[in-house]
């Protein structure tokens, strides 16, 4: 987003080698119901992932502007 210049950040770079371990668990699809939409968009390919992302951007913009309830974003 700042190419070719780097933006300064208040944090140190992430050093994955210094992390003792990473733990991964199964996704809770009940907790994240829209994740299946992302998987399906990826399977279909083409512009599906782009359209899904655009819909998300519009929903978030409406939420931030006060025109959409938070829980309506996932509906």
């Amino acid at each position: 987003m700042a190419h070719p210049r780097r933006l300064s950040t208040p944090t140190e770079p992430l050093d994955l080698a210094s992390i003792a371990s990473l733990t991964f668990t199964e996704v809770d699809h009940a907790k994240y119901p829209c994740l299946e939409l992302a998987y399906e968009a990826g399977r279909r390919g083409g512009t599906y992932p782009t359209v899904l992302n655009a819909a998300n951007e519009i929903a978030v913009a409406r939420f931030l502007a006060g025109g959409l309830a938070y829980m309506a974003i996932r509906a």
Side-chain angles (χ1 to χ4, degrees), residues 14-25:
L14 177 61
D15 179 10
L16 291 175
S18 70
I19 297 174
S21 67
L22 297 175
T23 303
F24 297 91
T25 59

Side-chain angles (χ1 to χ4, degrees), residues 45-74:
T47 60
Y48 279 90
T50 304
V51 170
L52 178 64
N53 185 65
N56 179 64
E57 294 289 335
I58 291 167
V60 170
R62 284 192 56 206
F63 165 72
L64 293 174
L68 186 66
Y70 178 75
M71 293 305 288
I73 292 175
R74 67 183 200 121

Side-chain angles (χ1 to χ4, degrees), residues 1 8 20-21 26 31 35-37 43-44 50 55 57-58 60-61 65 69 72-73 75:
M1 291 178 16
S8 62
S21 67
E26 290 293 322
K31 188 173 183 180
L35 187 57
E36 186 53 41
L37 291 174
R43 284 189 288 271
R44 290 183 183 214
T50 304
E57 294 289 335
I58 291 167
V60 170
I73 292 175

